Amino acid sequence: MNDDDLQRELVSLPIKYLHQLAKGRIHRHFRLGKRRLIDCILALPSAQKMAIANDLQQISSVPKKSTTGSNRAQPHSPFYPQPSSPKKSHTSESTSPPIVLQDLLEGIGVPEPTAFIPDNWQREAVEAIAQSDVIVSAPTGSGKTFVATEAIKQAMASKQTVIYTSPLKALSNTKYMEFSEYFGKDTVGILTGDRRDNAQAPLLIMTTEILRNILYDATSGDLDLRLHTLGLVILDESQYLADPERGVVWEETLILCPTETRLLLLSASIGNPQELAEWLTSIRPNTSCHLIRHTKRSVPLRSLYLHPTGQLVPLLENRDIQQRKGYRFHPETKRLFNEYEFKPYH
Amino acid sequence: MPPAIHPIDLVDILRRHRLTPAIIFLTSRRGCDEAIDTFIHSTAGVSATRSKDIRVFLEQFAKDFPSIENHPLIPVVQDYGVAAHHAGHLPSWKMAIEELMRQGLLDAVFATTTLAAGVDFPARTVVISQSSVRKSQDFSDLTVSEIQQLAGRGGRRGKDFVGFVVVTPSPYIDLHVLGKGLTGQPESIDSQFVVSYPMVLNLLKAHTLDQIEGLLAKSFAQFQLNQRAAIHQERLNELHEQLKPYGPRECADWVAQWKVFDLARRRKAHRRPVVNTDSPYLTACLPFLTPGRLIGLAKGPAIILRQYRSRGTGTPMLSVLHTKGTIGECQAQRVMHIYDHVYEFHPIRTLPWCPPSTLHHFKQVLSQLPSRLPTVPIFEASQEADDPLLTEILTDQFACPTCPSHAACKKDFTSASRLQLKAQQVSKTIQALLDGLWHQFQRKADVLHKFGYLTANLQLTDEGEWGRLIRINHSLLITELIRMDAFSGMAPELLAGVMASIAHDDDRPSNYMRLTPGLASMLTQVRQVADSLSLYEPAPLLRSDVAAIAERWIGQTELSWTSLVRSTSMAEGDVYRLLARTLEFLSQIYGLKGTHPSLADTAHQAMVNMRREVLAELP
Ligand SMILES: Nc1ncnc2c1ncn2[C@@H]1O[C@H](COP(=O)(O)OP(=O)(O)O)[C@@H](O)[C@H]1O
């Protein structure tokens, strides 16, 4: 158990158990609030921390229900003598959330690392890009990068050049580092207005404006880069097409992109990806554009309302946020929020 | 407005419920910085081991990015495991914070909502305390897409079983905006295509006019315009269907005939000639300014309830429903925008000109208008020669009074002419939608011809050949300045200063900085040119303070970044962005090395001087 795990476990415990664990190990532990107590425990020499971790294992083998559900009844384990009833600390009060919250906060934690198994939509996207243009519209954090990297591998395997564009230099830099780590430094280059780092690499990262300029120069016969080997263009954050100032650059790029080049558009959730796909299909001969629309979040999302007094209650009546089903605020949120609106400053 | 809850309490509660790491979105940079400040000297610290891990990471990071080495916020981040992240920071610092967050070493990051727009930066929990954001000068509600971009940062795949959105109130928050945003369908995206000067030059460089028409037709803009045109086409077909019973009678165009006849009769009665003094533009607009049309007035959008001519002067007038819900009168020439929305209703002849239910519906419509509305392009018809039939009026010779269709025409005239008018409007709209982009292109090309970048038959001139390489905002201003030799023999720092003032489009105020006389007179000259071009290209802000910053950085190569930043009240991140953008502009000028070698040299020198310290850290 590393420090962070230990800390997480400790934080999840009601404070009385922490005092139990601290007994004999930390001087004047009963004087300390929960945070300080945890810090002191974490600052102990590692042998002692091991011992504490051991004790913790035993606690976690006690059914959790009994510690939280039934109004903090004392578990009948030899390990938990009656707490020495330290001064009631306000932290210990609020570590046991009220019943409604219990359900909402249930399951917080870190999953065990598992083997990477691509989702169906990811696999479908990777297969589709081998034959046609593809638009992927999926919520943030669902795994669009996997589709990109697989597509890049395919293209590089057949000795094609890949261009990856992002709307912001900051994102280009992040991707440059990420891809350099993943594909190897020599495989990745980056182009900006005045710098060309490793411009001969098979995978080139740039902003969409730079690609647009390359395409203009190419159509006017000014050369540039290896357009004839350009097999794949990936446009990240394609929803920028609707940016009032810069959106036009995405359209220019898509219109000018050679028809032999595959397009992969990655986009956050938008309302009309179908329309985009129909458009691309209509303007690019010999290929249709395949739409992969994934709307379900990979990690469920729940909502809470935090009142300025520190009360934490469910925001909505449904536990998990559900898309496109409407919403109803939880009565407790309604009550507290009315109170707040009536008298906002506490 | 900051949330009502104190930042330390907020983070404490998140920690207690194991809701960390969290991203806490606030409205302003200042809000983020102040939130962080409250932690100093508090007891909300992290464990010594975590502190150490953060320190070790930052030390390592500073090896690649020395600009963060002595960052003033390092102690807070290390001691309290919290950080601020907004556009006022250097990119290197933001990257450090992002990486710390990814490694799970921070508990909370206070960020402005701009973060959501494109940093890969997830957390277990996202805290939202506002429902609107500042956009240009105004506050507007967050859109569903924006809320989902924010909320979407909650719950990291592989690191969390569940993610959380915590809403905590601040003054002016509207919970319903958030409720809708969290559960609703994200907005559709619409094309923002506009034809720019560089686009025209670059297209003409490689394509024939026919090909260009084809390329413009391939835009998403045209795709969407076609869809709108198709809807109007359906409406037009319906109208034609309804017009069928009103086909040719004794005379083919009996509606027009009757109209003139009718007019003549009335004139006779009044003995006052109706003189049409409307401008051609107004005449072109009038067919669109009909009841139900959505228009933009100086006060904002409004819906037309009726069109009439003022009794005294004959000026075209409108009765309109304003956004506020009031009904008012206004001259038709005051209309600033004509939008592509017409709401059908049954006009009535007395105030409020429509049934109460319609009025109620319109008020609702007006309160929920999207911020961007498609407009109908207006083309002035060439002034139509005087209606040939008008001469006939004078002679008072009409067949109508004795015509067998007299009764039918009299009965049908009102409905038939109303339908015809509608049909004409609709087909004009369709035409406008189909030709809009091409017209835009032609207008831009005309300007380029006027300035000598294109020949009369739209070939690139020598000027156009190099002008097309300047593919940034304010390209016309820049190429014009180059053509008038405004930059010749100029020192690199002056060129950089001018480019900075053209490039910088942020009006966030900063303090005045001393300008060198050379730069000051140069800016005056540029401002004159920009003003003279303002009919063809909006003038840039041309702020002298940002010009001075760039001039100093390029001119004094021994000046350190720290002293540069200390000499202005601009945030470090803003100074960085200003210079990075200036670099972009300079590199375009450097691209003219084939035709303007000495200017390109100067630009290159400026770029070399620019690329030092923090400006050399990233590509
Ligand atoms: N099929 C999968 N199984 C498990 N984890 C995945 C899977 N696909 C992606 N991930 C992980 O999800 C996280 C977010 O993915 P990312 O590609 O950055 O999202 P997006 O680009 O859609 O915002 C990454 O850490 C990634 O490793």
Side-chain angles (χ1 to χ4, degrees):
Chain A
M1 193 182 270
N2 67 24
D3 267 11
D4 276 351
D5 291 348
L6 180 59
Q7 179 172 6
R8 232 171 270 125
E9 288 291 339
L10 292 173
V11 172
S12 70
L13 284 182
I15 192 166
K16 61 193 169 194
Y17 296 154
L18 296 183
H19 285 293
Q20 209 55 55
L21 293 166
K23 212 169 178 181
R25 292 176 170 130
I26 292 167
H27 184 54
R28 292 162 74 83
H29 63 88
F30 46 84
R31 277 292 178 88
L32 303 176
K34 186 169 180 183
R35 278 233 55 91
R36 291 286 299 143
L37 199 49
I38 293 176
D39 289 346
C40 290
I41 292 176
L42 291 172
L44 290 171
S46 48
Q48 289 212 31
K49 275 194 281 193
M50 292 257 284
I52 286 178
N54 252 331
D55 292 351
L56 265 175
Q57 303 288 313
Q58 299 195 31
I59 297 182
S60 20
S61 62
V62 175
K64 276 257 154 78
K65 271 274 181 301
S66 59
T67 65
T68 46
S70 58
N71 207 10
R72 282 176 284 143
Q74 298 310 312
H76 303 289
S77 150
F79 182 71
Y80 303 111
Q82 292 296 311
S84 48
S85 175
K87 212 167 55 193
K88 215 169 100 182
S89 137
H90 76 282
T91 23
S92 72
E93 277 294 295
S94 28
T95 33
S96 341
I99 305 300
V100 263
L101 257 198
Q102 204 81 71
D103 176 45
L104 210 56
L105 294 175
E106 187 191 330
I108 294 187
V110 182
E112 290 294 316
T114 51
F116 188 98
I117 301 163
D119 296 343
N120 282 337
W121 66 271
Q122 288 173 317
R123 225 173 314 165
E124 196 190 326
V126 173
E127 277 162 26
I129 193 68
Q131 349 271 337
S132 70
D133 297 341
V134 175
I135 296 180
V136 178
S137 166
T140 322
S142 35
K144 293 187 281 290
T145 312
F146 171 78
V147 179
T149 47
E150 290 305 301
I152 294 170
K153 279 191 216 159
Q154 282 181 10
M156 289 202 300
S158 44
K159 298 268 178 283
Q160 291 173 324
T161 306
V162 180
I163 290 180
Y164 184 102
T165 80
S166 75
L168 305 167
K169 257 185 165 181
L171 283 173
S172 296
N173 285 322
T174 316
K175 274 290 176 250
Y176 180 46
M177 288 194 233
E178 192 182 326
F179 284 158
S180 297
E181 206 164 286
Y182 188 86
F183 292 106
K185 252 196 151 350
D186 296 339
T187 317
V188 193
I190 186 165
L191 267 58
T192 62
D194 70 318
R195 259 166 68 168
R196 310 186 139 207
D197 292 5
N198 207 10
Q200 291 314 306
L203 170 58
L204 296 174
I205 296 170
M206 59 191 78
T207 57
T208 313
E209 272 84 357
I210 303 276
L211 173 57
R212 191 264 324 256
N213 291 349
I214 290 176
L215 292 173
Y216 271 137
D217 291 337
T219 49
S220 57
D222 294 2
L223 104 118
D224 224 331
L225 290 159
R226 296 129 287 149
L227 269 196
H228 58 284
T229 61
L230 181 61
L232 173 67
V233 166
I234 303 176
L235 301 175
D236 201 358
E237 313 279 346
S238 299
Q239 73 278 6
Y240 257 77
L241 186 105
D243 185 84
E245 260 123 60
R246 297 171 57 208
V248 57
V249 178
W250 272 254
E251 290 194 45
E252 289 174 276
T253 304
L254 289 168
I255 295 169
L256 296 171
C257 207
T259 41
E260 314 80 63
T261 304
R262 289 278 75 78
L263 290 173
L264 172 58
L265 277 66
L266 306 176
S267 159
S269 290
I270 52 170
N272 54 344
Q274 187 63 43
E275 193 181 354
L276 271 187
E278 282 166 16
W279 167 55
L280 279 183
T281 300
S282 76
I283 66 165
R284 294 179 50 88
N286 316 329
T287 168
S288 65
C289 176
H290 193 95
L291 172 66
I292 308 282
R293 186 179 197 179
H294 177 69
T295 50
K296 199 170 170 323
R297 284 183 45 96
S298 322
V299 178
L301 194 61
R302 298 180 195 161
S303 58
L304 295 162
Y305 172 77
L306 173 60
H307 201 54
T309 54
Q311 267 165 289
L312 198 58
V313 297
L315 177 73
L316 303 179
E317 290 215 317
N318 288 337
R319 186 172 85 154
D320 290 358
I321 291 177
Q322 285 173 0
Q323 235 78 68
R324 304 203 188 145
K325 297 240 175 81
Y327 65 93
R328 278 222 302 279
F329 290 119
H330 192 274
E332 213 27 38
T333 288
K334 275 196 219 160
R335 189 181 69 76
L336 288 171
F337 186 69
N338 280 341
E339 204 175 86
Y340 167 82
E341 289 215 294
F342 185 63
K343 190 167 169 284
Y345 302 97
H346 293 267
Chain B
M1 281 288 193
I5 192 165
H6 191 282
I8 295 194
D9 293 337
L10 174 56
V11 170
D12 179 52
I13 289 165
L14 295 173
R15 279 176 174 155
R16 264 192 277 139
H17 292 293
R18 299 207 293 156
L19 292 169
T20 55
I23 307 174
I24 299 158
F25 287 112
L26 301 181
T27 9
S28 67
R29 299 172 179 193
R30 214 174 102 204
C32 297
D33 292 338
E34 282 171 359
I36 294 300
D37 284 347
T38 61
F39 281 83
I40 300 172
H41 306 305
S42 76
T43 54
V46 288
S47 67
T49 35
R50 180 107 75 85
S51 233
K52 186 170 141 257
D53 290 345
I54 297 175
R55 198 186 70 233
V56 170
F57 170 84
L58 287 175
E59 279 167 7
Q60 191 59 38
F61 198 85
K63 284 190 185 139
D64 291 330
F65 298 92
S67 58
I68 68 148
E69 200 167 0
N70 297 308
H71 202 285
L73 290 177
I74 287 180
V76 196
V77 176
Q78 267 173 210
D79 295 349
Y80 302 97
V82 296
H85 185 294
H86 56 67
H89 295 299
L90 284 179
S92 48
W93 176 252
K94 289 195 282 185
M95 284 164 73
I97 299 302
E98 287 155 30
E99 193 53 38
L100 277 171
M101 195 71 168
R102 248 172 246 135
Q103 299 195 4
L105 290 173
L106 297 183
D107 283 343
V109 171
F110 291 85
T112 53
T113 39
T114 45
L115 170 88
V119 182
D120 188 9
F121 191 150
R124 174 173 292 169
T125 302
V126 164
V127 179
I128 301 180
S129 62
Q130 73 210 55
S131 58
S132 55
V133 276
R134 209 191 176 86
K135 282 175 192 159
S136 55
Q137 295 306 316
D138 239 346
F139 277 88
S140 55
D141 283 346
L142 290 162
T143 64
V144 175
S145 305
E146 284 165 338
I147 292 172
Q148 296 194 356
Q149 283 266 4
L150 300 178
R153 311 271 152 190
R156 299 156 297 177
R157 202 165 184 191
K159 290 192 197 157
D160 289 310
F161 284 117
V162 281
F164 292 88
V165 180
V166 175
V167 173
T168 192
S170 64
Y172 312 127
I173 193 172
D174 180 346
L175 284 195
H176 285 282
V177 171
L178 297 177
K180 179 162 163 264
L182 290 172
T183 55
Q185 158 114 356
E187 288 83 6
S188 295
I189 63 173
D190 286 323
S191 170
Q192 302 292 324
F193 195 90
V194 278
V195 178
S196 64
Y197 296 119
M199 186 194 292
V200 172
L201 290 176
N202 282 292
L203 287 177
L204 283 169
K205 166 73 180 168
H207 306 277
T208 64
L209 282 180
D210 283 349
Q211 286 170 333
I212 293 172
E213 209 175 346
L215 284 173
L216 292 176
K218 279 183 166 190
S219 63
F220 189 47
Q222 194 59 60
F223 187 79
Q224 293 194 309
L225 289 173
N226 290 347
Q227 289 176 347
R228 273 162 59 195
I231 296 170
H232 288 287
Q233 186 62 52
E234 257 174 49
R235 176 92 187 91
L236 185 60
N237 296 346
E238 269 169 37
L239 285 169
H240 283 153
E241 198 59 38
Q242 288 167 9
L243 272 168
K244 274 210 175 129
Y246 306 123
R249 296 183 179 169
E250 267 12 70
C251 40
D253 194 0
W254 64 269
V255 181
Q257 187 75 21
W258 182 270
K259 187 170 164 187
V260 182
F261 168 65
D262 197 43
L263 201 65
R265 271 198 321 193
R266 281 195 224 177
R267 269 202 205 172
K268 235 176 154 179
H270 287 289
R271 303 204 165 272
R272 180 148 56 86
V274 177
V275 197
N276 188 346
T277 54
D278 303 344
S279 73
Y281 180 71
L282 190 57
T283 311
C285 288
L286 282 182
F288 294 96
L289 298 176
T290 48
R293 171 73 67 179
L294 183 66
I295 52 169
L297 298 170
K299 285 190 219 167
I303 295 179
I304 300 180
L305 299 174
R306 64 165 185 156
Q307 190 195 95
Y308 63 101
R309 283 187 182 263
S310 83
R311 288 253 166 110
T313 58
T315 338
M317 299 287 294
L318 304 172
S319 301
V320 298
L321 177 68
H322 294 289
T323 339
K324 284 181 309 199
T326 52
I327 295 178
E329 313 296 313
C330 80
Q331 294 183 2
Q333 70 202 42
R334 292 285 148 76
V335 175
M336 298 165 69
H337 304 287
I338 301 177
Y339 297 117
D340 183 25
H341 283 287
V342 183
Y343 304 96
E344 296 279 326
F345 73 98
H346 275 290
I348 54 177
R349 302 179 58 176
T350 51
L351 199 77
W353 319 116
C354 63
S357 59
T358 308
L359 200 62
H360 179 72
H361 172 64
F362 282 178
K363 284 180 186 169
Q364 242 176 357
V365 166
L366 283 168
S367 67
Q368 295 167 354
L369 287 176
S371 54
R372 285 195 304 266
L373 292 162
T375 56
V376 181
I378 302 290
F379 301 114
E380 288 172 25
S382 50
Q383 186 79 15
E384 263 171 48
D386 257 1
D387 201 327
L389 286 169
L390 279 178
T391 37
E392 263 186 72
I393 298 178
L394 300 172
T395 65
D396 257 20
Q397 291 173 349
F398 286 97
C400 295
T402 51
C403 175
S405 307
H406 181 95
C409 289
K410 185 173 181 179
K411 176 169 145 281
D412 292 342
F413 173 70
T414 322
S415 11
S417 71
R418 194 171 46 89
L419 286 173
Q420 269 193 357
L421 189 69
K422 266 203 184 143
Q424 277 166 15
Q425 285 172 16
V426 174
S427 43
K428 271 196 181 174
T429 308
I430 294 174
Q431 213 46 45
L433 291 171
L434 297 180
D435 298 343
L437 285 184
W438 181 239
H439 280 281
Q440 250 191 60
F441 179 87
Q442 285 174 324
R443 275 199 297 272
K444 285 278 187 304
D446 285 346
V447 174
L448 289 167
H449 167 56
K450 177 175 144 75
F451 281 89
Y453 296 93
L454 292 174
T455 63
N457 52 2
L458 302 188
Q459 302 289 312
L460 269 64
T461 60
D462 287 348
E463 315 280 340
E465 282 290 342
W466 59 263
R468 77 183 170 86
L469 297 174
I470 306 294
R471 296 163 181 150
I472 32 186
N473 286 349
H474 311 296
S475 59
L476 190 60
L477 172 62
I478 295 172
T479 52
E480 283 301 291
L481 287 169
I482 295 175
R483 289 174 74 192
M484 52 182 72
D485 270 340
F487 301 133
S488 96
M490 189 185 255
E493 60 268 28
L494 271 188
L495 180 63
V498 172
M499 284 303 142
S501 75
I502 296 176
H504 194 70
D505 50 13
D506 190 349
D507 57 3
R508 207 176 270 269
S510 81
N511 64 344
Y512 173 80
M513 203 191 241
R514 260 191 108 71
L515 277 181
T516 59
L519 185 55
S521 82
M522 189 63 214
L523 283 181
T524 315
Q525 200 188 333
V526 174
R527 193 163 294 121
Q528 276 166 7
V529 180
D531 286 344
S532 74
L533 294 176
S534 60
L535 211 54
Y536 311 104
E537 185 179 81
L541 291 176
L542 292 174
R543 281 172 48 168
S544 52
D545 55 341
V546 299
I549 292 176
E551 186 196 25
R552 290 188 73 182
W553 182 248
I554 308 302
Q556 308 173 21
T557 45
E558 72 296 341
L559 184 74
S560 74
W561 175 256
T562 330
S563 6
L564 179 74
V565 171
R566 215 178 285 136
S567 68
T568 162
S569 64
M570 261 170 103
E572 198 172 23
D574 291 325
V575 179
Y576 180 93
R577 220 175 0 267
L578 161 71
L579 293 177
R581 228 170 117 75
T582 307
L583 190 69
E584 254 349 283
F585 275 48
L586 287 168
S587 71
Q588 299 254 318
I589 295 196
Y590 176 58
L592 303 182
K593 48 190 176 297
T595 49
H596 300 72
S598 102
L599 177 59
D601 253 6
T602 312
H604 189 247
Q605 189 55 51
M607 287 155 68
V608 172
N609 291 2
M610 173 86 80
R611 284 284 201 182
R612 59 183 211 273
E613 281 197 56
V614 57
L615 278 138
E617 278 182 354
L618 290 163

